[in-house]
Amino acid sequence: MAADGELPLYFTKQAALGEIIVREIPKFDLEAYIHNYAGRTRLERLFLIGRSCPPLSHDALKAALAEAQRGKDIGRYQAIVELLRQTGSDDPGANEHQAWVEKVTKQVKAETDRLEYELKGYKNNLIKESIRMGNEDLGLHYQAIGDLPLAFKAFSRMRDFCTSPKHVYEMCMKLIVVSIEQGNWMAVQSNVLKVGNLQLKAEDLADAQPKLRAAIGLAQMASGNYREAAESFLRSDSSLANSFNQVVTANDVAVYGGLCALASMDRQELQKKVLEDNSFRNFLELEPQIRRAVTFFCNSKYSQCLEILEAYKPDYLLDIYLQKHVRELYRFVRSKSIVQYFVPFDTVTLDSMAAAFGTNESIIQGELVHMIQQGTLDARIDTQQKVGIDNPLFG
């Protein structure tokens, strides 16, 4: 084990490789956090925390191991056991792990053979509904054992045997969930469009829309289209609740929508589309720090907005879909804040800006130079007088 204050060798190596390592303890309680989710995302979220956050690594990996033992994804189970070893966690049960792997391997093979045999029988008897359900059962089995490509193929084969729009909707939702797990965002968007073209009953449409908007929002965020992602999350209906918690919860939608909006919308849009929207307001009640951050931004209190975001940064860096985007989203919010800070003034002293953004003159000057060079800020700097001079664009 590493000495106090030192990172275990595994995390030191990962950090050197450019992987995100979160040294701070997040604000969420691990047990309460993971309790919100269902299905494979519980395991994947725990695994991410275990390999990214030294303070929570042991507890997260132990919880992930217990979660894996309740399932049958042998590959993920073995990866967790290996990560426990690499991170220096005490785990003496090597023989026990091998016995579990051998037992579950036999069970998985028997279940695969049984489902494939049953499906073959349904095909021979030409019973469409049985063939559809047989492919569904096989797809769910492959998904549970972590063979996502085969799960996707099995669910796709249901299409020719669907006899109602609801059947097609159910098939597409299974494909969407598997595609999200794979990171196959093109397939997510394709299946969202397919559901959008279906003539669903009112109750099915009400069930579908919040999930589809959350799914397309994830795809857009993954592609770096933060403005489009914000629009999708903001249009999600609060009836989503935890009905899609095998992927995301309503809390996640509040955070994703709020951060993407902060990174891509001006103050007027934030006020109207985030703070004053009756539906999204329900999401914000679940994550009040997002509401406070947006409110501060809209009130031109940029340093307070950035302070809130910084305080919750460890939490967001441990989110399975948000982790890769946190730094870029924060950079956009900070750049927007600096641009907006200039708006009311002809000139701004560097020391006043440094004070407003919680830094020193040298750093803020470097940020301004970079933003001017990138075309983000239309201004110039008088280094003799230590002032930033606003150009007519903001006059």
Side-chain angles (χ1 to χ4, degrees), residues 133-174:
M133 295 183 66
N135 277 307
E136 180 180 26
D137 291 342
L138 197 57
L140 291 170
H141 170 69
Y142 284 135
Q143 186 179 11
I145 66 175
D147 196 334
L148 300 180
L150 284 182
F152 187 91
K153 289 180 180 179
F155 290 141
S156 297
R157 287 195 297 266
M158 295 169 63
R159 180 66 184 91
D160 292 338
F161 307 97
C162 292
T163 56
S164 71
K166 185 171 183 178
H167 285 169
V168 178
Y169 163 53
E170 291 171 347
M171 176 202 72
C172 287
M173 288 308 303
K174 289 179 173 59

Side-chain angles (χ1 to χ4, degrees), residues 29-38 41-43 45-46:
D29 174 80
L30 181 62
E31 185 176 351
Y33 167 77
I34 210 63
H35 181 72
N36 293 322
Y37 299 96
T41 197
R42 285 172 58 93
L43 181 59
R45 288 173 182 273
L46 286 168

